[in-house]
């Protein structure tokens, strides 16, 4: 509702839901869609962008400025991922995912958007199943480039997380958004 109030269009034909076998949250069509039918349109001011992260978390961006992380980081915008991970942790600490209805009436569109991930189960997504150290899913796909790709992405996020934490610590890490370094699981979820 808040995104629509901000000028976005979301078709009444879709809902946020989960479907088996993956059961991960996403947008699901509740009725047939026509070819090229517009289902979502979000104005730029309601999009999670690097500029928004710069505006909301300047200290976090400054911690990475002029740091050569290219040899350590294989994902784009690790500081933006850290911002989302920190926001997820803050919202969870406020009780957003406990089912207690602890979401304030004046919550920002950004908190509502990011908060949708809380309590969601991403454990059945293919890349998560493939990176499990043991398990029938991984074994079923060996040898496979899919397992290699899943491992590469997990490794890339692990390396980026380490670089984010190191850069934040080097920048002082004692105030504002630098104070709370994201846990690896939250970082990967973000």
């Amino acid at each position: 509702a808040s995104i629509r109030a901000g000028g976005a269009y979301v078709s009444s034909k879709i809902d946020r839901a989960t479907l088996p076998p993956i059961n991960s949250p996403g947008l699901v069509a509740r009725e047939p869609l026509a070819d090229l039918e517009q289902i979502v349109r979000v104005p730029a001011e309601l999009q999670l962008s690097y500029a928004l992260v710069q505006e909301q978390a300047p200290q976090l961006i400054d911690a990475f400025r002029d740091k050569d992380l290219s040899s350590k980081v294989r994902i784009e915008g690790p500081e933006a991922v850290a911002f989302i991970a920190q926001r997820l942790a803050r919202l969870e600490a406020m009780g957003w995912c406990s089912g207690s209805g602890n979401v304030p009436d004046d919550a920002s569109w950004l908190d509502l958007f990011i908060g949708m991930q809380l309590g969601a189960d991403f454990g059945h997504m293919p890349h998560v199943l493939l990176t499990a150290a043991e398990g029938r899913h991984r074994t079923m796909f060996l040898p496979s480039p899919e397992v290699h790709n899943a491992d590469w992405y997990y490794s890339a996020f692990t390396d980026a997380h380490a670089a984010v934490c190191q850069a934040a610590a080097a920048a002082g890490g004692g105030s504002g958004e630098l104070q709370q370094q994201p846990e690896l699981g939250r970082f990967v979820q973000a």
Side-chain angles (χ1 to χ4, degrees):
S2 69
I3 197 163
R4 283 185 176 111
Y9 168 76
V10 180
S11 171
S12 61
K13 293 182 179 182
I14 61 170
D15 283 322
R16 185 171 187 273
T18 62
L19 293 175
I22 295 176
N23 294 319
S24 292
L27 294 177
V28 176
R30 295 296 181 188
E31 47 186 281
L33 300 172
D35 288 348
L36 302 176
E37 179 177 352
Q38 184 176 48
I39 55 172
V40 177
R41 181 184 65 251
V42 180
E45 60 271 10
L46 294 180
Q47 294 177 21
L48 182 56
S49 65
Y50 193 83
L52 178 73
V53 174
Q54 282 181 306
E55 176 188 310
Q56 298 267 324
Q59 289 176 313
L60 188 59
I61 300 299
D62 288 345
F64 293 92
R65 190 165 284 136
D66 301 325
K67 301 268 189 291
D68 182 21
L69 298 178
S70 59
S71 63
K72 299 175 188 173
V73 177
R74 294 172 280 159
I75 65 169
E76 198 171 322
E79 58 273 47
V81 176
F83 169 77
I84 296 167
Q86 290 171 341
R87 199 96 175 210
L88 280 166
R90 183 177 59 79
L91 296 172
E92 185 174 42
M94 293 169 53
W96 278 42
C97 71
S98 64
S100 64
N102 236 5
V103 178
D105 291 337
D106 63 345
S108 72
W109 71 267
L110 182 60
D111 283 343
L112 292 169
F113 175 72
I114 292 174
M116 286 191 310
Q117 290 188 51
L118 291 172
D121 180 7
F122 295 94
H124 290 93
M125 294 187 76
H127 67 279
V128 174
L129 293 172
L130 291 176
T131 56
E134 296 178 25
R136 65 184 181 98
H137 295 97
R138 184 177 180 85
T139 306
M140 285 178 3
F141 282 91
L142 286 173
S144 167
E146 293 305 319
V147 173
H148 170 75
N149 289 342
D151 287 345
W152 186 92
Y153 280 108
Y154 186 80
S155 169
F157 276 103
T158 302
D159 293 347
H161 175 262
V164 163
C165 292
Q166 184 179 23
S175 65
E177 60 273 355
L178 293 177
Q179 193 170 21
Q180 184 184 27
Q181 294 182 7
E183 296 176 4
L184 176 60
R186 211 30 109 212
F187 190 84
V188 173
Q189 181 185 14

